[in-house]
Structure formats: C-alpha cells, structure tokens
C-alpha cells in the first residue's frame, strides 16, 4: 500500500516536470519567433537620411529635408 502511494507520487512529480519542460520549450520558441519577426520588420523599415538642415524664424525653428535611405 505504501509502495503504491510512492509510485503515484513519483508519477505525479514526473508529469509535473514534463509539463514544466513543455511550457519552457513553448516560451523559448515563442520568444525566438517574436525575435525573428522584429528582425524582419527592422529590415523592411526604411531609414530617413537627412540631406540638409537649416534654421529660420526667431524662435530657433528648424527644418530637415530628408530622403529615404535605400541602403538601410
């Protein structure tokens, strides 16, 4: 009778450990997928290259004329 209890207890903790490992694996895969998605977005995002900057007006207003950098 006591051996049956110990056997069930060991089985319970093994099942808990396996489920914990599966959750950790899922979280790691999800994190890697999100990381890849963000890297793809960064590649697609176009950077603006400032060509000319100037000041005008009395309150130090400024304007920047830019072009989309196709190399980035």
């Amino acid at each position: 009778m006591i051996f049956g209890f110990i056997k069930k207890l060991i089985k319970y903790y093994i099942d808990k450990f396996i489920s914990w490992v599966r959750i950790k694996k899922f979280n790691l895969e999800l994190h890697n997928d999100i990381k890849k998605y963000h890297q793809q977005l960064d590649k697609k995002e176009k950077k603006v290259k400032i060509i000319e900057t100037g000041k005008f007006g009395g309150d130090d207003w400024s304007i920047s004329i830019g072009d989309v950098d196709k190399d980035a």
Side-chain angles (χ1 to χ4, degrees), residues 21-37:
V21 169
R22 286 179 182 161
I23 290 171
K24 287 294 183 181
K25 180 183 173 193
F26 175 75
N27 286 338
L28 181 64
E29 289 173 354
L30 183 63
H31 178 72
N32 287 337
D33 288 344
I34 291 171
K35 194 174 183 181
K36 287 178 187 175
Y37 178 74

Side-chain angles (χ1 to χ4, degrees), residues 42-51 65-72:
D42 289 343
K43 287 180 183 176
K44 289 180 183 178
E45 188 177 283
K46 297 187 186 234
K47 309 280 183 196
V48 175
K49 180 174 69 174
I50 296 175
I51 296 173
I65 301 171
D67 187 22
V68 175
D69 190 7
K70 294 177 176 76
D71 295 332

